[in-house]
Amino acid sequence: MRALAARLNSGVAVLYRAVAGRSDLIAVVTDQVLGDADFSALGAGDGDASRPADWEAVCRATAVTLFETLAAHPGVASLLVEHVPTGPNALALRERVLSLLMANGFSAHDAARTYATLSRLVIGFAAQLQAESETDHEQIRAVFSNLDAEAFPATVAAADVLPYQHLVDEFRTALDWLIIGLSVERGRAA
């Protein structure tokens, strides 16, 4: 709190009038960032419960929007690793996704598990974006290239593309695979 107060050219007492401590500050910051995400264009169906929205498309678009929002606010994703958001923006997002999934036949348990998994996928990749920009890829590539080719033949063969540094592509691929897996599982359950 002292470091933040100094960066804001304020006093610690002023901060403590606004928030009770670090935990409250994290809650406010993360919820504000979640509020910056524009989910309005995603829709959630036309309001007709007999024709629920395409859960796959809405889950994908929601995850991409959240990922892009977290990417625009470096450091916030790592805060979400240690803090389950319960502010008004987080609650609205959670309610929207859970309602959509349950309207499409997911049990409450499966809807909650799906929401948690999507959230963790987004947060995990978004948290890596900051670290990715600070990584010396050439140095790591050199280490992989100089390994013993008999002990690590696959790593040496792939050394010129390691470490794989296309996190946005990886995120979208992982999201697609997750949704495909959910669709397959849903088909089996039906």
Side-chain angles (χ1 to χ4, degrees):
M1 294 294 275
R2 280 190 292 273
L4 178 60
R7 282 189 76 188
L8 296 173
N9 294 322
S10 179
V12 176
V14 173
L15 288 178
Y16 278 113
R17 275 185 245 139
V19 293
R22 183 178 187 277
S23 179
D24 284 351
L25 179 62
I26 289 171
V28 169
V29 168
T30 56
D31 200 63
Q32 182 64 46
V33 168
L34 291 175
D36 287 350
D38 183 8
F39 298 108
S40 62
L42 303 178
D46 56 12
D48 182 350
S50 66
R51 292 185 320 205
D54 176 357
W55 70 268
E56 294 176 30
V58 174
C59 282
R60 183 176 283 107
T62 299
V64 168
T65 299
L66 184 55
F67 177 77
E68 290 170 350
T69 300
L70 292 175
H73 298 278
V76 172
S78 62
L79 296 175
L80 290 169
V81 169
E82 64 183 79
H83 172 81
V84 175
T86 57
N89 294 314
L91 290 173
L93 174 59
R94 185 177 292 107
E95 181 65 22
R96 179 180 170 276
V97 175
L98 290 174
S99 294
L100 167 79
L101 293 170
M102 290 165 61
N104 278 276
F106 283 71
S107 68
H109 176 268
D110 287 345
R113 182 173 57 175
T114 298
Y115 179 78
T117 303
L118 281 170
S119 296
R120 287 184 176 109
L121 178 75
V122 169
I123 292 166
F125 273 96
Q128 290 180 64
L129 285 174
Q130 185 173 6
E132 182 71 11
S133 66
E134 299 166 4
T135 302
D136 184 346
H137 294 96
E138 292 303 319
Q139 181 182 23
I140 296 170
R141 196 168 289 122
V143 168
F144 291 150
S145 294
N146 293 314
L147 290 172
D148 179 355
E150 287 186 28
F152 303 99
T155 301
V156 171
D160 60 335
V161 293
L162 291 174
Y164 192 78
Q165 49 187 335
H166 304 282
L167 278 173
V168 173
D169 177 56
E170 281 182 75
F171 165 71
R172 290 181 183 264
T173 300
L175 178 60
D176 286 344
W177 290 347
L178 176 62
I179 290 174
I180 289 167
L182 286 167
S183 295
V184 168
E185 185 62 29
R186 302 270 314 133
R188 282 189 207 143

